Amino acid sequence: MEAIFLGKYSQKGYAGFVQSPNDDRKAAISSMLSNAGGSLIDIQFVRGHYDVLVRAEVNDFETLGAIKILVAASGAFDSIETLEIVNMESITNKVGKLSGTYRAPGN
């Protein structure tokens, strides 16, 4: 499954950049994902509410959750959001098949 991680660095995370400005974050993230059976698709540093966006392929939601816990436990981020990329065509196909099968309470 494809996922997006959005992260906002903490003071500890920024201090790491000051201490090691040439630390290859792409290599570190790619290695972690590989060890989890996944792969890095893209990493971008962004301006706005979040500081970094990582797009990755992971095996399942449990792996996604484990990575989030591991990264959060490092203290490098004040907040981390994980988003699962969905196939809207598959969803709308299922909607078409299920249409008319639900009855609201009292109807």
Side-chain angles (χ1 to χ4, degrees):
M1 68 179 264
E2 200 171 318
I4 294 174
F5 296 85
L6 299 167
K8 180 175 180 60
Y9 280 109
S10 65
Q11 182 179 0
K12 180 180 177 180
Y14 284 124
F17 281 112
V18 171
Q19 183 178 352
S20 302
N22 297 317
D23 189 356
D24 187 351
R25 301 313 306 147
K26 184 175 182 177
I29 293 165
S30 185
S31 175
M32 175 193 58
L33 286 163
S34 179
N35 286 333
S39 63
L40 177 66
I41 296 171
D42 193 22
I43 179 172
Q44 297 292 324
F45 293 91
V46 296
R47 293 188 332 177
H49 181 73
Y50 295 102
D51 301 310
V52 64
L53 179 152
V54 173
R55 202 165 135 221
E57 184 71 34
V58 296
N59 291 332
D60 49 40
F61 187 78
E62 291 76 16
T63 302
L64 179 69
I67 290 169
K68 182 177 181 177
I69 290 170
L70 177 71
V71 173
S74 76
F77 291 90
D78 280 334
S79 68
I80 302 168
E81 295 278 340
T82 55
L83 306 171
E84 180 180 351
I85 295 176
V86 298
N87 180 324
M88 197 60 186
E89 186 177 340
S90 292
I91 291 171
T92 56
N93 285 339
K94 288 183 189 275
V95 167
K97 290 176 184 174
L98 293 171
S99 183
T101 61
Y102 175 74
R103 183 185 57 76
N107 286 337

